[in-house]
Amino acid sequence: MKREKGKLIVISGPSGAGKSTVVFKAIEGRDDVCFSISATTRKPRPGEVDGREYFFVEPDRFTEMVANGELLEHAEYVANRYGTPRAYVEEKLAEGMNVLLDIEVQGARQVNEKMPDAIKIFIVPPSLEELRRRLEGRGTDTARAIEARLIRARQEFEEADFYDYIIVNDDADKAAQELAAIILAEHCRAADHMDLLKQV
Ligand code: ADP
Ligand code: 5GP
């Protein structure tokens, strides 16, 4: 039987909502889902490793990547630039893998223009107070960066209706289960199985 095509899954949500936590819980132990590592001009946080959380690049290199068309989408977020390397995403989708992108709203809109079949999921914290607690608890951002991220979070909430699904990350295990359930359900879409029906 023909191998099913992979799905492109765009995950957005305010910084500190728990996107990385939920994404990595949902991926664990699965060989049909992979995560696209972005390029960024942001400096690594303590514990972050180049090529694992991000490809950390200088601003000039980022500009070059944009000029060469190496990025599927790119955007600026709180004074840093972020972008999705195109080649990895295209390669994995062609192999039949589901590819997860953790990107902000402007990038999600660009992906949607190019790949309208992408599944768009918005992950939110249970409240802004909890978001502040998580950002402070993570201990990786300065007080100023946390304030900037909270301001941006309020703006992002207003764009939630662009997404197909919303996951409230109260309990991270439950949120990861919801993400897995969405992927499962998306693979049952009728439109994707019409070829099979013709063979029955
Ligand atoms: P994001 O990727 O959205 O910026 P992270 O995954 O880094 O967010 O999570 C931000 C902080 O919140 C981390 O310290 C993480 O351990 C914590 N966290 C994530 N999900 C939950 C949750 N459901 N309950 C409590 N803390 C959480
Ligand atoms: P952080 O600095 O907290 O890791 O990420 C800040 C924001 O940048 C998050 O909302 C994250 O989703 C977003 N982001 C990470 N990688 C990319 C990317 O490749 N493209 C875009 N547009 N946003 C990204």
Side-chain angles (χ1 to χ4, degrees):
M1 200 190 350
K2 201 175 83 189
R3 180 153 188 194
E4 238 181 283
K5 243 175 76 185
K7 302 269 179 193
L8 184 60
I9 301 145
V10 175
I11 313 256
S12 303
S15 180
K19 298 181 297 298
S20 317
T21 307
V22 172
V23 161
F24 286 102
K25 273 182 186 290
I27 282 184
E28 220 174 10
R30 291 183 64 158
D31 60 6
D32 61 332
V33 188
C34 63
F35 177 68
S36 158
I37 301 168
S38 297
T40 183
T41 59
R42 169 165 79 61
K43 296 284 170 247
R45 296 182 181 127
E48 285 184 334
V49 176
D50 186 39
R52 190 179 66 190
E53 281 81 9
Y54 284 103
F55 296 111
F56 295 100
V57 300
E58 293 300 321
D60 284 353
R61 171 66 188 128
F62 196 95
T63 304
E64 185 184 272
M65 291 172 95
V66 174
N68 292 345
E70 290 175 52
L71 300 177
L72 177 63
E73 59 71 38
H74 61 95
E76 195 170 311
Y77 186 93
V78 192
N80 293 302
R81 302 180 78 188
Y82 297 81
T84 303
R86 174 195 301 277
Y88 178 85
V89 172
E90 289 178 352
E91 216 171 273
K92 292 293 163 187
L93 287 176
E95 285 171 16
M97 296 281 281
N98 298 300
V99 183
L100 289 173
L101 306 183
D102 170 351
I103 64 178
E104 52 66 68
V105 179
Q106 304 163 74
R109 289 188 184 277
Q110 292 171 43
V111 171
N112 192 52
E113 287 287 309
K114 292 179 182 159
M115 298 176 165
D117 290 345
I119 303 152
K120 301 172 293 288
I121 305 175
F122 198 63
I123 298 193
V124 292
S127 66
L128 279 171
E129 293 73 43
E130 174 60 13
L131 181 62
R132 178 187 289 278
R133 269 194 294 277
R134 287 185 191 170
L135 285 169
E136 289 172 351
R138 189 166 67 182
T140 53
D141 296 284
T142 60
R144 206 167 147 195
I146 290 177
E147 292 312 319
R149 279 160 193 269
L150 285 168
I151 290 170
R152 183 69 181 246
R154 285 197 191 89
Q155 297 162 351
E156 285 179 327
F157 281 149
E158 285 167 22
E159 302 204 55
D161 63 356
F162 167 70
Y163 291 82
D164 302 312
Y165 297 93
I166 292 182
I167 295 178
V168 180
N169 175 25
D170 195 349
D171 176 279
D173 287 324
K174 182 167 168 277
Q177 277 171 15
E178 289 178 3
L179 174 54
I182 292 168
I183 298 173
L184 189 62
E186 286 287 336
H187 275 278
C188 297
R189 278 198 173 273
D192 292 353
H193 295 285
M194 289 306 163
D195 289 357
L196 267 180
L197 287 185
K198 281 181 202 142
Q199 295 164 27
V200 175

